[in-house]
Amino acid sequence: MSNIDWAVLIFTLFAVVAYGVFIGRGQKSNASYLKADNKIPWYIVLLGIMATQASAITFLSAPGQAYTDGMRFVQYYFGLPLAMIVICITFIPIFQKLNVYTAYEYLENRFDKKTRVLTSLLFLFSRGLSTGISIYAPSIILSSVLNWNIYLTNILTGGILLIYTYVGGAKAIAHTQKLQFLIILGTMAFAGYLLIQHMPDGIGFKDALYLAGKSGKLNVITTEFDWKDKYNIWSGLIGGFFLALSYFGTDQSQVGRYITAKDNTNAKMGLLLNGLVKIPMQFAILLIGALLFAFFSLKPAPIYFNERSYQYLKEKEPQQAAAFEKEHNALQKQFTQQSHQILAEKEKQSPLLSASIADFKSTQNKVKDLHARVEEAINQSNYNAEKTDTNYIFLYFVKNTLPVGMVGLLFAVIFLASWGSISAALNSLAACSLKDVHLIFGAKAPDDETELKYSRLHTLAWGIFSIAVAMFATQMGSLIEAVNVLGSLFYGPILGIFLVAFYFKKIDGPIVFISAILAEIVVIAVYKFDIISFLWLNVIGAAAVIVFSLLGLLFHKPRAVVSE
């Protein structure tokens, strides 16, 4: 990067950290540190919810996901709006009424202490691991730009955001998320504009869109039903609904955003608006990836987007790499010529267009096959890096195409997106481990000052844990998919516990406790044997808790249910 890019990057990151420390100063109690004294308005709730979900993984990995697999990933969010409605009707009123610090406090009131602890532990395990992946995503950038070791950049990336998260708590997180997300949206929109502007002369948005469509990258809706297909309209509407219901309704990293709201109305407005704007936002980010494919079909693309990994292969197997490059150069030249030819024939409405599109798709498949062989060779070389280059596609475009200053800002955006989600996650992890585990098993209740000190120590501990997890994230492929697979392993049983709590009043703690454990075993077994696509795990986990609980009524006489 140029000196100007470095200045933009450092200034942006420093300004956000300083703002977070400033806005979060003077914390004197846990009510302030963990819940921001319940003074957050709806628009900050909205931005906080979106920033927590839209991590660096969204902006780094999603364009690469669309580049390789098309835009069908957007169907993953189709169940989101309906889930927001259900949460506003059922979840928020209960959480606000009980004035909880964590979502799992309600479960002790409804069931018993051990059910609360079990559910919190499931959350802590899943969110702790996924937070580590979120730290790893921006550390890729430092590793690539500075040519530093990925493990060093994990420590640096995770350590910087701990400053304002440790000091300022929920208030600092909420207000920095507001600033971060506004910068992110503006910068990503400008990056999309520059992508079109950097197309070859005479090639506009419609032309790029046409090429993306003919290459199969605009596959937004796929209606064919297949249990093992990860992204289709059925898995999105049904599996996505259950995942969103669990994530936004029972995951403390999201619950923690809207329980800080001033009141029920502000919490509901923030959540409902998230359901309305999330799909268009995700569509736009994936569209950048589809347009990137058109861009690299019209201009020379690298043989492998992770340049460091390929350089290692060149040094270890120079003859094999030379053969790969010779084949790649020939295919790339042919592919570029065919892309321009298709657009020219489309303009003239030539009768040869159909044949040209068929040749274009044939070459596309050959390029894909070559990429797979290069990737396999890199993975067989035992180079300690990612299994795929999906997360490097957008990064490569940024580094090699955008103007001076914009590169530094785009890198800053990916950091800010990561910090928004990670800081919220650390705050929620600290709240749960403190309130749902530490204080429950503690000898005596601490005073306000001691409890605030404990909250900060828990935040620090989870930050260190997440950095440690990031060290093992290099083998996970597409990060946006990896983090959602990980969540799906646990969200279903957690959601099932809450659904039983809300809607099955005869079922008590002992029944749901055993049912949740059995359901988690079922989910892990289904995933282990690759029986079904991961989105359906959320449905299976929730349904299993309900079914096992209802069966439990046949063998266990429940106690009188405590009213909420």
Side-chain angles (χ1 to χ4, degrees):
M1 288 200 307
S2 69
N3 291 335
I4 294 176
D5 287 312
W6 276 113
V8 170
L9 173 62
I10 293 171
F11 173 78
T12 305
L13 299 184
F14 175 79
V16 170
V17 172
Y19 177 71
V21 171
F22 174 77
I23 203 74
R25 70 194 186 285
Q27 303 289 333
K28 294 182 180 179
S29 70
N30 251 3
S32 177
Y33 189 77
L34 297 179
K35 294 182 65 181
D37 292 318
N38 292 103
K39 293 181 178 179
I40 305 299
W42 67 267
Y43 58 90
I44 295 183
V45 171
L46 167 64
L47 294 175
I49 290 170
M50 296 188 70
T52 300
Q53 186 184 23
S55 67
I57 294 171
T58 300
F59 301 102
L60 181 65
S61 188
Q65 180 81 14
Y67 185 100
T68 57
D69 191 44
M71 293 181 62
R72 66 195 188 108
F73 181 78
V74 76
Q75 296 169 112
Y76 166 83
Y77 297 96
F78 282 4
L80 179 64
L82 182 58
M84 299 300 95
I85 294 172
V86 174
I87 293 169
C88 286
I89 293 173
T90 304
F91 291 66
I92 289 179
I94 291 175
F95 293 154
Q96 289 282 345
K97 178 182 177 182
L98 295 177
N99 193 30
V100 296
Y101 277 88
T102 77
Y104 318 113
E105 284 184 57
Y106 162 72
L107 296 179
E108 181 176 358
N109 186 4
R110 171 63 177 85
F111 293 124
D112 51 36
K113 191 172 293 186
K114 66 178 182 293
T115 303
R116 172 185 179 180
V117 173
L118 171 66
T119 312
S120 186
L121 289 175
L122 289 174
F123 161 75
L124 290 170
F125 185 70
S126 62
R127 181 50 55 192
L129 292 177
S130 62
T131 303
I133 299 174
S134 296
I135 287 177
Y136 171 70
S139 74
I140 293 174
I141 300 169
L142 275 181
S143 176
S144 177
V145 173
L146 301 176
N147 201 27
W148 288 357
N149 184 282
I150 190 68
Y151 301 115
L152 174 63
T153 57
N154 281 332
I155 296 172
L156 183 60
T157 304
I160 296 174
L161 69 94
L162 264 174
I163 298 172
Y164 70 84
T165 307
Y166 177 87
V167 173
K171 183 179 179 182
I173 292 167
H175 286 278
T176 52
Q177 282 180 328
K178 171 192 66 179
L179 179 62
Q180 289 162 351
F181 207 63
L182 292 175
I183 295 173
I184 289 166
L185 290 181
T187 306
M188 288 299 291
F190 192 50
Y193 169 78
L194 290 177
L195 171 59
I196 300 300
Q197 293 300 307
H198 280 82
M199 293 286 177
D201 291 341
I203 306 298
F205 175 73
K206 290 183 179 179
D207 295 323
L209 210 59
Y210 184 80
L211 278 179
K214 293 306 177 184
S215 63
K217 303 306 177 182
L218 300 184
N219 53 345
V220 177
I221 305 291
T222 51
T223 57
E224 184 179 350
F225 185 83
D226 183 351
W227 287 108
K228 285 199 170 185
D229 183 18
K230 290 178 289 189
Y231 308 117
N232 58 57
I233 195 169
W234 309 110
S235 63
L237 283 173
I238 302 172
F241 166 76
F242 278 88
L243 178 58
L245 195 62
S246 183
Y247 178 52
F248 290 96
T250 70
D251 187 309
Q252 180 61 27
S253 66
Q254 284 292 355
V255 174
R257 297 316 97 214
Y258 57 77
I259 64 173
T260 61
K262 291 180 178 180
D263 50 37
N264 254 337
T265 301
N266 279 271
K268 290 177 180 179
M269 284 182 65
L271 207 57
L272 287 173
L273 286 172
N274 170 65
L276 291 176
V277 302
K278 177 61 181 176
I279 295 176
M281 187 194 81
Q282 194 66 43
F283 178 91
I285 295 170
L286 289 166
L287 183 60
I288 290 176
L291 293 174
L292 274 174
F293 187 88
F295 178 86
F296 284 118
S297 68
L298 294 163
K299 289 189 173 185
I303 189 170
Y304 201 69
F305 286 97
N306 186 339
E307 296 168 286
R308 288 182 65 191
S309 293
Y310 184 69
Q311 184 61 35
Y312 179 83
L313 179 67
K314 285 182 67 175
E315 294 171 359
K316 186 173 183 180
E317 301 288 346
Q319 291 183 336
Q320 184 182 33
F324 282 148
E325 288 177 19
K326 182 178 179 181
E327 184 180 355
H328 168 74
N329 291 335
L331 283 173
Q332 193 64 43
K333 182 178 180 181
Q334 183 180 7
F335 197 44
T336 301
Q337 290 174 345
Q338 290 171 340
S339 299
H340 285 280
Q341 183 178 348
I342 286 174
L343 293 178
E345 291 178 354
K346 177 181 78 76
E347 189 70 25
K348 298 176 183 178
Q349 297 183 340
S350 170
L352 300 176
L353 179 59
S354 297
S356 297
I357 291 173
D359 292 340
F360 170 81
K361 290 182 177 178
S362 175
T363 305
Q364 179 185 344
N365 289 331
K366 292 177 183 178
V367 171
K368 185 177 180 181
D369 176 70
L370 173 62
H371 179 273
R373 285 186 278 127
V374 172
E375 194 162 80
E376 182 181 8
I378 291 173
N379 290 332
Q380 288 178 349
S381 70
N382 296 319
Y383 181 64
N384 187 23
E386 297 81 4
K387 290 182 179 179
T388 75
D389 62 346
T390 303
N391 304 310
Y392 286 84
I393 294 172
F394 182 59
L395 178 59
Y396 181 91
F397 167 77
V398 170
K399 283 176 58 181
N400 293 282
T401 309
L402 295 188
V404 172
M406 191 66 191
V407 176
L409 185 58
L410 252 299
F411 285 165
V413 158
I414 297 175
F415 275 92
L416 297 181
S418 175
W419 289 358
S421 62
I422 297 168
S423 59
L426 294 180
N427 180 256
S428 66
L429 288 165
C432 286
S433 59
L434 175 67
K435 290 289 187 177
D436 298 327
V437 181
H438 182 165
L439 296 183
I440 283 181
F441 295 106
K444 62 178 181 178
D447 56 38
D448 286 346
E449 185 177 345
T450 303
E451 191 171 336
L452 177 59
K453 181 181 72 174
Y454 285 159
S455 292
R456 288 200 167 107
L457 289 176
H458 278 255
T459 301
L460 179 62
W462 279 111
I464 294 171
F465 174 83
S466 299
I467 292 171
V469 170
M471 302 301 186
F472 299 94
T474 58
Q475 301 300 315
M476 291 188 176
S478 172
L479 297 180
I480 196 166
E481 187 171 296
V483 76
N484 287 311
V485 170
L486 181 60
S488 295
L489 290 173
F490 299 95
Y491 283 152
I494 293 174
L495 175 61
I497 295 170
F498 277 89
L499 293 179
V500 170
F502 293 149
Y503 302 117
F504 297 87
K505 298 302 183 181
K506 291 184 179 181
I507 296 173
D508 63 4
I511 293 178
V512 79
F513 181 82
I514 298 298
S515 298
I517 294 175
L518 294 175
E520 188 59 52
I521 293 172
V522 168
V523 168
I524 292 174
V526 170
Y527 175 74
K528 179 69 175 176
F529 292 105
D530 194 23
I531 297 173
I532 200 169
S533 170
F534 77 87
L535 268 178
W536 293 102
L537 297 177
N538 301 281
V539 185
I540 292 171
V545 174
I546 295 172
V547 170
F548 286 138
S549 296
L550 292 174
L551 290 175
L553 285 176
L554 301 176
F555 306 98
H556 173 78
K557 183 178 180 181
R559 60 172 172 75
V561 176
V562 178
S563 60
E564 287 83 29

